[in-house]
Amino acid sequence: MKTLGYYNGRFGELDEMTVPMNDRVSWFGDGVYDAGPSRNYKIFALDEHIDRFFNSASLLRIQMPVTKSRLKELLKNLVKKMDTGNLFVYYQVTRGTGIRDHAFTDGPGNLWIMLKPAEISDGKEPVRLITMEDTRYLHCNIKTLNLIPSVMAAQKAKEAGCQETVFYRAGGRVTECAHSNIHIIRDGVLVTAPADNLILPGIARAHLINICRQLCIPVSEVPYTLEDLYAAEEIIVTSSSSLCLHANEIDGKAAGGRNPELLERIRAALLQEFYDATPAENAGR
């Protein structure tokens, strides 16, 4: 299959799939999701993504229709049906199906899965960023389907010829990007926002922190500001789709680029970890 859509046991090519109009996602965006890359038919960091997925559902009191082990098995089996093993693996659960009512729909949620071909960036080419005040709500640690602020921010970046939008709160605290986490190198230290309710605790963020510690690079999980961002030695953007990007421009002004050796050590180590976890041997379906 070139693409794959799954809904509560039914699956087919994405453009052939339909879902009930009364799925609560249609009325309220009532659900949570997670996603990550696959390479050579092997899904990277699957346990970590599934744990975060179930945690998001729990925080919104959504009843999962499958167990963790069953979902992992299902995803691995669906990946094997694809023409390529290099994929973006996306899954979401919505609260259920019922006539529109703000109060919860009883029963287990609906499970959606989407697979499409995708490659992980090697992170060698720099990206351009713009900034935007973070007007989202105060539960950014839950990976919900309510992404309108991120959609608008991503469109703003696209129209400006940039790849990402950096969010900041009143007072200038940098939180994260429209669909990434953002970090800086300051005096040789990786500085990353704390995993509080203002950011999503990214899986790629966790791998970045672990790699830095393995490389004996100090890590500081503390709030930092726009001023810190503009003055940073290097700016690193991470997500499950792009494990280690770096920025050379913010709001039309040059940024980063002052500790390339350290940046390259981090980038190379993160990519190697990904390659080691998704080897080509025995990748057949």
Side-chain angles (χ1 to χ4, degrees):
M1 300 180 69
K2 292 182 174 60
T3 64
L4 185 148
Y6 173 101
Y7 185 82
N8 285 351
R10 295 185 292 108
F11 68 90
E13 291 283 350
L14 275 173
D15 59 6
E16 299 171 356
M17 294 296 292
T18 60
V19 298
M21 187 170 178
N22 274 336
D23 189 304
R24 286 179 62 95
V25 73
S26 302
W27 312 123
F28 306 110
D30 193 355
V32 298
Y33 74 102
D34 220 294
S38 165
R39 177 174 174 267
N40 294 322
Y41 296 97
K42 297 177 178 65
I43 304 173
F44 181 65
L46 181 57
D47 287 346
E48 295 163 76
H49 282 281
I50 294 296
D51 286 345
R52 184 175 66 177
F53 184 46
F54 273 70
N55 181 63
S56 291
S58 175
L59 291 171
L60 291 187
R61 294 165 56 191
I62 293 174
Q63 183 179 337
M64 294 296 293
V66 292
T67 63
K68 288 184 180 181
S69 60
R70 171 59 185 144
L71 180 56
K72 292 174 193 176
E73 178 185 5
L74 176 61
L75 290 171
K76 291 176 182 177
N77 288 338
L78 291 177
V79 161
K80 293 177 183 177
K81 298 182 182 297
M82 300 296 290
D83 294 345
T84 175
N86 295 3
L87 303 160
F88 178 64
V89 181
Y90 174 98
Y91 33 100
Q92 69 182 35
V93 62
T94 62
R95 196 176 299 278
T97 306
I99 296 296
R100 186 181 187 278
D101 186 346
H102 281 72
F104 291 178
T105 297
D106 293 333
N110 297 319
L111 180 63
W112 307 43
I113 298 170
M114 183 271 288
L115 306 179
K116 66 177 183 179
E119 300 288 341
I120 285 286
S121 169
D122 63 12
K124 291 183 178 180
E125 290 297 317
V127 296
R128 301 167 64 199
L129 309 175
I130 58 172
T131 61
M132 180 177 179
E133 185 173 359
D134 191 346
T135 59
R136 300 171 300 167
Y137 72 159
L138 298 177
H139 301 286
C140 297
N141 56 307
I142 307 173
K143 201 168 175 69
T144 78
L145 301 177
N146 297 281
L147 296 174
I148 287 298
S150 293
V151 167
M152 300 307 294
Q155 182 64 23
K156 180 180 177 181
K158 180 180 178 180
E159 291 171 354
C162 297
Q163 287 73 48
E164 254 290 23
T165 298
V166 181
F167 287 132
Y168 63 89
R169 294 276 173 169
R173 175 186 163 178
V174 174
T175 52
E176 57 187 351
C177 296
H179 46 82
S180 313
N181 289 125
I182 185 164
H183 329 267
I184 62 173
I185 300 294
R186 181 174 62 195
D187 299 327
V189 176
L190 176 75
V191 181
T192 183
D196 56 18
N197 64 306
L198 298 183
I199 75 162
L200 181 77
I203 304 301
R205 172 186 177 274
H207 281 252
L208 170 65
I209 290 170
N210 288 337
I211 284 292
C212 284
R213 288 174 174 157
Q214 290 175 29
L215 296 174
C216 298
I217 298 168
V219 176
S220 179
E221 296 183 63
V222 296
Y224 64 92
T225 67
L226 283 173
E227 288 75 16
D228 297 322
L229 182 68
Y230 296 139
E233 295 173 7
E234 297 290 350
I235 300 159
I236 299 174
V237 177
T238 61
S239 71
S240 294
S241 299
S242 299
L243 299 176
C244 186
L245 302 179
H246 66 282
N248 67 350
E249 181 182 305
I250 304 174
D251 293 334
K253 298 179 181 179
R258 295 192 289 111
N259 200 337
E261 295 84 5
L262 185 60
L263 174 66
E264 177 57 20
R265 287 178 64 204
I266 295 170
R267 186 204 66 83
L270 280 168
L271 266 291
Q272 193 59 53
E273 178 190 41
F274 174 64
Y275 296 146
D276 289 346
T278 57
E281 62 267 23
N282 301 319
R285 290 167 285 171

